[in-house]
Amino acid sequence: SLVAIYGGRGLVRVNRDSRLMWHLGERVHHDLALLPSGQILTLGRRERLMESLNPRKPVIDDEVLWISADGQVEKRVSVLDALLQSRWASDLRDLRPLVGDVLHVNTVEPIVDPPPGAHPAFQAGRVLCCARNPDWLFVIDPQTQRVEWLARAEWRGPHDPRLLPSGRILLFDNLGASDRQTGPASRVLEYDPLSDSITWQWQADPPSGFFSLFCGAATRLGSGNTLVTETGNGRAFELEPGGRIVWDFHSPHRAGTDGALVAGLFEMQRVPLEKMKWMER
C-alpha cells in the first residue's frame, strides 16, 4: 500500500491497485514516517489564539501526530505547548512576529534505535523535528509532551535533519552558504549535538551552484556517500565523503521560456534492486 500527504488537506492510504483504503481529514503537511509499530508519524497544523503569545491574532500551531495503520489519530502533541512547557519557552516568546506561521515545522524524524554515544536527549520513542523559520532543531518527548533538547547554530532555513549512526545530525542547510556578494546558496552539513559544532559540510564551487530556497534533502548511504536532493532546481546527486560528485541527475522535464522552469524534485531515495522485484509481477 501507499500512504500519501496531499495539499495540507489530508492523509490517504491506497492499495497497490490505487483503490482508497482510508482518508484522514487532518491538515497534514510536509513529512511522514512509518514506525515499526505500524503507526504513521506525521505533522498536522491548526490556528490558535494563544494569550501568552499574541492575545489579538492567531498563530499556527504545528502538531506531531501518531496515526494508526487504519487511519485514526491515536495521539497528538502541540509543538507550541511542548515549547512553552520547556526551558526554551522564553526563546519562543522572543520570536517576532508572533503571528501566523511562527515556526513552520517541516520534519518529523522518529528516534527508533539511538546510536551508542548519542546525546542523552536522543532517546527511543522521541521525535527529532526541524523548524525552518527560527532555524531550530529540537526533540519532543511524546510522554512528557515537552521539548527536551533544542539547538540553533549557523544554519538558516533548514530542512530534513537525519540522526546518523555516529550520533551526529545530517542537515540540508538551505540558506547557510549565502553571501551578499555571491548570492543565495545552500550546503549540506553534519552537526554534533554533544560538542555543539559543525563537523563536516559541503557546498558548491562557486557556492551559487547549489541552492534550493525550499525543501531539500540529504541521506547518508551505507557506503558513506551522501545522496542530496536539490529540490528547487530539480536535481539530485551523490557525494563522496571528500566532496567529489559521483553522479549528477538534472530533471529533463522543463517548461517556460528557454526551459527556465522545472518541477521541484522533493526527495530522491536509493532503493535496493531486490526490493523492486514486486514490480515484475
Side-chain angles (χ1 to χ4, degrees):
S1 62
L2 176 71
V3 181
I5 296 169
Y6 68 95
R9 295 180 178 273
L11 187 71
V12 296
R13 190 167 208 150
V14 298
N15 66 16
R16 60 183 294 170
D17 298 315
S18 300
R19 296 186 182 277
L20 182 68
M21 298 171 66
W22 51 255
H23 161 261
L24 176 67
E26 291 275 344
R27 293 174 62 188
V28 177
H29 64 95
H30 274 94
D31 197 15
L32 64 79
L34 302 180
L35 301 176
S37 64
Q39 288 178 307
I40 301 158
L41 181 70
T42 189
L43 286 164
R45 59 172 34 171
R46 59 181 172 142
E47 284 82 24
R48 295 175 63 189
L49 189 65
M50 302 180 69
E51 292 284 337
S52 64
L53 298 181
N54 190 329
R56 294 180 298 277
K57 295 183 179 180
V59 294
I60 292 176
D61 186 14
D62 292 299
E63 298 177 309
V64 182
L65 304 177
W66 284 258
I67 313 297
S68 67
D70 61 354
Q72 305 298 314
V73 178
E74 295 187 328
K75 188 179 184 67
R76 66 176 76 227
V77 175
S78 157
V79 174
L80 290 178
D81 286 343
L83 282 162
L84 288 171
Q85 295 168 20
S86 76
R87 54 180 284 207
W88 294 278
S90 60
D91 296 77
L92 173 59
R93 293 192 180 98
D94 288 342
L95 296 177
R96 292 294 181 272
L98 278 170
V99 63
D101 195 7
V102 176
L103 298 177
H104 196 91
V105 179
N106 57 38
T107 306
V108 282
E109 173 80 355
I111 303 173
V112 177
D113 188 15
H119 190 285
F122 291 78
Q123 298 179 19
R126 292 181 174 179
V127 182
L128 172 63
C129 298
C130 177
R132 183 199 68 185
N133 289 354
D135 305 319
W136 288 349
L137 304 184
F138 58 94
V139 168
I140 284 183
D141 186 333
Q143 302 304 316
T144 64
Q145 299 197 21
R146 187 173 62 220
V147 168
E148 302 292 351
W149 174 86
L150 185 147
R152 183 186 189 283
E154 300 169 14
W155 51 75
R156 293 171 53 205
H159 284 81
D160 198 44
R162 309 280 182 108
L163 184 60
L164 300 174
S166 64
R168 296 172 181 169
I169 295 171
L170 185 67
L171 184 68
F172 192 100
D173 183 9
N174 292 68
L175 295 168
S178 300
D179 182 87
R180 288 185 179 181
Q181 294 183 340
T182 59
S186 301
R187 61 178 176 167
V188 179
L189 58 84
E190 271 187 40
Y191 170 74
D192 185 351
L194 290 172
S195 64
D196 187 27
S197 63
I198 294 172
T199 58
W200 174 87
Q201 64 176 311
W202 182 89
Q203 61 188 67
D205 184 17
S208 58
F210 172 56
F211 175 63
S212 185
L213 179 62
F214 61 98
C215 296
T219 305
R220 182 60 44 80
L221 304 176
S223 64
N225 290 357
T226 304
L227 178 58
V228 181
T229 308
E230 186 182 349
T231 299
N233 286 314
R235 179 189 180 201
F237 54 95
E238 183 176 329
L239 290 170
E240 289 183 337
R244 187 178 75 88
I245 295 177
V246 178
W247 55 260
D248 199 346
F249 168 79
H250 295 255
S251 173
H253 306 292
R254 308 192 71 92
T257 304
D258 297 324
L261 303 178
V262 64
L265 185 64
F266 286 95
E267 183 179 351
M268 186 81 79
Q269 294 187 4
R270 181 181 290 279
V271 181
L273 185 60
E274 58 269 20
K275 289 191 175 183
M276 304 303 292
K277 294 294 185 182
W278 64 271
M279 296 183 69
E280 298 175 359
R281 284 184 270 172

